C-alpha cells in the first residue's frame, strides 16, 4: 500500500525536503530549496553590486506573479534588453517562470535587426536595464511592443519594482506548476530576414544536467559569465550555479569576491579552469 505525502501549508508533509532539481522552469523550486537550506545559498554579482541567491530567487517568483497579474499568458514572448548582468538573468528567469518565452536581445545588434525579431515574434513587452531604456523606447516605436519595464528609473517606462507589489486581492502564484511551454528564443540575420530558434524547457534542462555532470560544481566555486558564448548554455549554467550555492560573476566589470578566484568560465564552452582550493591554475 502506498503512502501519500502532501506538502501544502499546515499539512503533515509541510516540512518534507524538496526536490533538488528545477520544476517547470530553471528556477522553479529554487526559492523554497534555499529557504529550507539557507547555508547552501550563493550569490550573483554584477558591476552594481551583489545579491544573495535566496533574494534573487524570491524576486523571480514575485516578479513572475506580477507578470501573471498583468495578463501575461503561457507562450507569450517577452524581450530582454540588457548586457550580461544579474538583471538580464533575473528578467529571463522571470519570463520563463510564468510559462513565457524569453527573447534576450543581443545588445550589439543594430536597431533594424532588433526591431525585426521583435516584430517577427509578436513581442509586446520589453524588460530592460535603465541605461538601455531609450533604445527600448525606440524599439517600441518600430514594433508592436506596448510596454517597457525598466530596472531603475527611466522616463517613459514602468519600474520593475511595480511587479513586486503584493496582489491586491491576496491571491498567490506558484511558478513551479509544471510550465513546460517556456524557453529561450535565439535569432540570427539571414538572407531571408531574421530567423528565430526556440530552445524549449527540455533543451535547457538537458544542458543543465549535462553541465552538472561535467563541471561538478560546489558551493566554493566562482562561475564567470560574460557576453561570449551561447545564451541558452549561459542561462543553464547560471541556474546550475544558483542551485549549487556557487558564486556567479556576471559581466566584464564584475568583481570576484575578495580572496577567491574564478574557477569555472562559460565561454567558449563551459569549463573548469581551476579548483577552489588549488594553489595553481591548470
Amino acid at each position: 500500500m502506498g503512502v501519500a505525502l502532501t506538502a501544502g501549508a499546515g499539512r503533515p508533509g509541510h516540512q518534507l525536503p524538496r526536490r533538488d532539481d528545477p520544476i517547470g522552469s530553471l528556477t522553479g523550486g529554487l526559492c523554497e530549496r534555499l529557504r529550507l537550506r539557507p547555508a547552501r545559498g550563493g550569490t550573483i554579482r554584477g558591476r552594481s553590486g551583489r545579491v544573495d541567491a535566496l533574494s534573487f530567487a524570491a524576486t523571480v517568483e514575485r516578479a513572475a506573479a506580477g507578470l501573471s497579474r498583468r495578463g501575461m499568458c503561457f507562450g507569450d514572448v517577452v524581450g530582454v534588453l540588457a548586457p550580461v548582468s544579474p538583471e538580464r538573468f533575473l528578467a529571463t528567469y522571470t519570463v520563463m517562470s510564468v510559462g513565457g518565452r524569453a527573447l534576450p536581445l543581443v545588445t550589439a545588434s543594430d536597431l533594424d535587426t532588433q526591431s525585426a525579431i521583435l516584430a517577427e515574434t509578436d513581442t509586446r513587452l520589453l524588460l530592460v536595464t535603465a541605461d538601455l531604456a531609450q533604445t527600448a523606447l525606440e524599439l517600441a516605436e518600430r514594433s508592436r511592443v506596448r510596454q517597457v519595464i525598466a530596472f531603475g528609473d527611466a522616463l517613459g517606462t514602468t519600474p520593475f519594482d511595480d511587479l513586486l507589489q503584493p496582489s491586491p486581492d491576496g491571491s498567490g502564484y506558484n511558478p513551479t506548476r509544471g510550465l513546460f511551454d517556456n524557453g529561450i528564443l535565439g535569432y540570427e540575420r539571414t538572407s531571408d530576414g531574421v530567423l528565430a530558434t526556440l530552445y524549449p524547457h527540455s533543451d535547457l534542462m538537458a544542458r543543465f544536467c549535462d553541465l552538472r555532470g561535467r563541471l561538478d560544481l560546489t558551493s566554493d566555486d566562482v562561475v564567470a559569465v560574460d557576453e561570449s558564448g551561447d545564451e541558452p548554455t549561459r542561462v543553464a549554467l547560471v541556474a546550475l550555479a544558483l542551485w549549487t550555492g556557487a558564486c556567479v560573476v556576471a559581466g566584464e566589470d564584475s568583481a570576484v569576491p575578495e580572496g577567491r578566484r574564478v574557477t569555472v568560465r562559460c565561454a567558449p564552452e563551459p569549463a573548469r579552469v581551476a579548483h577552489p582550493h588549488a594553489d595553481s591554475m591548470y
Side-chain angles (χ1 to χ4, degrees):
M1 181 177 179
V3 178
L5 301 178
T6 58
R11 296 178 181 175
H14 185 54
Q15 299 302 323
L16 290 174
R18 309 301 187 182
R19 292 177 52 180
D20 288 340
D21 295 326
I23 311 167
S25 71
L26 288 178
T27 55
L30 174 61
C31 185
E32 187 173 36
R33 178 176 187 266
L34 293 175
R35 284 197 180 109
L36 291 172
R37 304 176 184 179
R40 295 290 301 275
T43 59
I44 181 167
R45 297 166 181 259
R47 61 185 178 184
S48 59
R50 63 179 288 279
V51 61
D52 65 88
L54 176 55
S55 297
F56 182 88
T59 301
V60 169
E61 292 199 359
R62 291 170 60 197
L67 285 181
S68 179
R69 289 195 301 271
R70 284 162 173 75
M72 182 178 161
C73 301
F74 294 177
D76 282 355
V77 177
V78 176
V80 177
L81 182 61
V84 171
S85 60
E87 291 81 6
R88 184 178 178 97
F89 295 109
L90 176 58
T92 299
Y93 296 139
T94 295
V95 172
M96 291 194 292
S97 291
V98 199
R101 298 173 178 183
L103 172 62
L105 297 173
V106 179
T107 55
S109 292
D110 58 89
L111 284 176
D112 288 341
T113 300
Q114 292 174 337
S115 58
I117 191 60
L118 291 172
E120 180 68 24
T121 55
D122 197 28
T123 299
R124 306 298 181 93
L125 175 65
L126 263 177
L127 296 172
V128 308
T129 46
D131 58 321
L132 293 174
Q134 196 57 48
T135 299
L137 292 171
E138 186 171 346
L139 287 171
E141 291 292 330
R142 296 179 173 213
S143 65
R144 302 186 71 183
V145 168
R146 292 295 173 264
Q147 186 176 21
V148 176
I149 297 178
F151 293 94
D153 295 324
L155 188 64
T157 69
T158 301
F160 180 83
D161 285 352
D162 283 7
L163 297 180
L164 307 181
Q165 299 303 313
S167 172
D169 60 4
S171 60
Y173 174 78
N174 182 3
T176 63
R177 299 184 299 179
L179 307 177
F180 297 107
D181 193 29
N182 59 28
I184 293 176
L185 282 167
Y187 65 96
E188 60 182 320
R189 174 70 80 169
T190 70
S191 57
D192 297 322
V194 289
L195 175 66
T197 302
L198 174 64
Y199 299 91
H201 177 79
S202 57
D203 178 279
L204 299 175
M205 274 303 303
R207 294 171 191 249
F208 181 99
C209 293
D210 174 67
L211 292 172
R212 179 166 55 186
R214 287 199 289 117
L215 298 176
D216 194 25
L217 290 185
T218 73
S219 58
D220 293 322
D221 278 306
V222 177
V223 178
V225 292
D226 56 24
E227 301 287 346
S228 306
D230 172 72
E231 183 80 18
T233 299
R234 182 163 51 223
V235 168
L237 176 59
V238 170
L240 174 62
L242 293 171
W243 279 88
T244 306
C247 170
V248 176
V249 179
E252 298 285 357
D253 301 325
S254 302
V256 176
E258 186 176 354
R260 301 176 69 181
R261 60 182 172 185
V262 171
T263 57
V264 173
R265 291 193 180 276
C266 185
E269 290 291 334
R272 180 170 292 282
V273 296
H275 286 293
H277 303 298
D279 293 328
S280 60
M281 305 287 281
Y282 71 89

